[in-house]
Amino acid sequence: MSSFFSILYVVVFLPSVVILYNIFPKKYRPFVLLIGSYVFFFSISGKLLLYLLFSTLSVHHIGLWLTDLQAERNAKLKLVEKTEKKELKSLYQTKQRRVVLFGVLLHIGILLVVKYTPFFMENINSIFAAFDVPVTLNIPKILMPIGISFYTLQAVSYIFDVYREIISADRNMSRVALYMGFFPTIMEGPICRYGETAHALYAGERTNYNGLTMGIQRILYGMLKKIVVADRLNILIKNVFDSGNQYDGGIVAVAAICYTVQLYMEFSGTMDLVIGTAQIFNIRLPENFRQPFFSKSVSDFWARWHITLGTFFKDYIFYPLSMSKPLKKLTSKARKHIGNHLGPLVAGAVALFCVWLCNGLWHGAGWNYIFFGMYHFVLILSGNIVEPYAKKLLEKLHINREGIAYHTFSVVRTVILVVIGEMFFRANGLSAGLSMFKSLITNFSLASFKDETILKLGMDIEDFIIVGITLLIVLVISIFKEKDINVREGIAKRNVVLRWGIYYALIIFIIIFGAYGRGYVPVDPIYANF
Amino acid sequence: MKVFKQILRCVAFLAGLMIILTALHPVLAPKNNTYEAGIEDESANGILSEKKNTIDVLVLGDSLSHTAISPMLLYKDYGITSYLCGSYGQFMYDTLRYLELAFENQSPKIVLLETDTLYRKFSVGDAIASGIQCEFPVFRYHDRWKDITFADFKGDIRYTSINNYKGYRGKDIVKGIPNEPYMIETTEVESVSIMNQIYMDEIAEFCEEKGVQLILVSTPSVLNCNYARHNGIQEIADKYGLEYIDMNLMTEEVPIDWTMDTRDKGDHLNHEGARKVTNYLGKFLVGKNILSDHRNDVAYSNWNKSLDIYMEKIEMVFDEKIPVALNQNK
């Protein structure tokens, strides 16, 4: 099994797990899911399953450690005088913080070693070379278990939530194990919170007809996005990005747009498959996308794109930093010197910088990813800074911010900024990204469209038409979703002829127009590599 | 009762889907066995254009087969009509598919299976995908939607692409290596994977049902053959009671000079190597005494036309050492 879209997964693995899940009595069903999850993990990462098992054991233990400290503290609080309570609380908070620090360092440490060692060592070698130090470090090849970036964040959120007493540590090891390793979420998320999903995962509710049909429907929608669009765009994107400086700005622009579309179709399509799969097991997972291309600003975009990662950074990095004593002090000082608007933004900028540095690094070990993070940091911060001035300017110019023209302008502006960011994200290194950006600005030309060079890069006119039609379908469904109209439920309520007709049409559309088989190279699960 | 109804609804939906997929096949299926018409492997599928029941020997396997055996030489020198349904990187599930395809219109007396394909690993997913494509060919030829015309809806299929080399894809390039022993005797056995054994079972069973003699053949290849593999194939041969010819051990009967007879440093044979293999194979097949000499048979006049083309475009060109690639088959 190489991905959720492999034949083995769709035709053998998933149906087998669904059947076994429903055959077994309720209390054994979570174990069917857990064993299925480990089989899935093992089929992709083999012995690296040990990493997941270790993380599960340690997070389970650290959770219990924290809970025991909390119980001990509570017991002692009942026995001490009021005056001593504060001191006792502080003592136990310090103890708990040490445990949290240990837990977080342990998990993030594993992630850092596995994912970033080659990157750090390459940079050390570059520094040595720059200063003529005759030392070259051997860069080790470290195999990375699938989904480590995702389950590590889940482990960290579990530790923090126990520490903050949002949840109690779970004494049931298998429930923690299922939370950490549930097979649909292991590769590309969504990054779940223990309090929201663990109990549903462990409930063992039987598959019902509605969940089955709605789940399959969602899986098919995901396949439409992934197989028809994302995989079809793959050859063109690879051709242009592999030698980006050979092409004029027109082709670079098309490739950058195609990559942004591909990333969205691949990731959101996978999320449809993941959430649909969970729905079959009667489990509700958090959504990861909310029509991101309807965003009016970059910060709005990131509130709609990879939502669970954004909320993770907000809850576990941005807010704790913003609320920390040093940054609170900084805010009050800055207020005095630069006023009530810019003052809080200074401390906010520090927290925001940390968030986007982590965001860039989380996506990959490379300078282009750090640049990607900083690019968004600058865009969001500058947006926050100019917001009141922009508001005043628009008022003076009598431009209605709620009007359709300004709305359209905002959406288009956001999309352009996002596309440029994604171009750096996909580029083969930072210098390649900068070179493509230079080409985009200084060498923009439509000549490649006139002489049809654009049709010689892996996609012919029919391919573009099919991608266009599919995007139109996705756009219409997205518009309905934006207006809170649930298309899927709407279809499910129709009579059987229309309903089945739509389902058959969707399946046949995917089978005929899917980019699979001879001549196609399916795109690897993009986010699974982060 | 409610659950029964729901199951019935699911079954009805799936049945409807299968009917649609089956109905789509005639529209999307290639209407000819040419690349232009969308066929997957024009050379191997050339057998579809052969006259009914004219092929006596069918050869299956990966590229080691279609670079080592020349059916037209077998015909020229021994009067044996054979066809090579070998294809690049052929997996055992492809081998089974070509075997079944060949028997739709032909009744070979002997099937030669080049054994390199038995060591080509594939996943369960690949096998399932192949099975689905066999049951519903629309999955194999779905991409033809780009070339579809109104004529495709009539569903008329005519296979007109005669392959004059009968599946042979030789080259006269010489990229030699020193003649060094590579079949070092050992008792080690490189076992054939379970997935390949499953397909071997099916192929053996199919041939037995058809009353056809299945023979395992290892053509010479320094890079792909060794004694442990020989032992592995011998085990398979013994298990099914099949004859096994390992030409890598027949240095006298098939005197391959690795400095001259390989086109890619011991991976595949070139045309000179193929001549030596074919010459031995011809004698071996004639020795079976079950094959007729068709050279003077009027019903096989087309073979003589193909032979003329083959001689003109391959043998004569290669003899004069004019380097040409033999991918064009007409």
Side-chain angles (χ1 to χ4, degrees), chain A residues 12 463 504 512 514 516 520, chain B residues 6 13 40 128 142-143 146:
Chain A
V12 180
D463 290 317
Y504 281 140
I512 293 179
Y516 62 92
Y520 292 105
Chain B
Q6 288 169 346
F13 183 83
E40 226 173 39
I128 293 168
H142 69 100
D143 216 29
K146 289 181 181 176

Side-chain angles (χ1 to χ4, degrees), chain A residues 315-331:
Chain A
D315 293 347
Y316 301 106
I317 296 180
F318 187 82
Y319 284 144
L321 275 176
S322 303
M323 296 299 151
S324 66
K325 277 181 190 169
L327 285 192
K328 272 186 174 174
K329 271 186 190 172
L330 182 65
T331 302

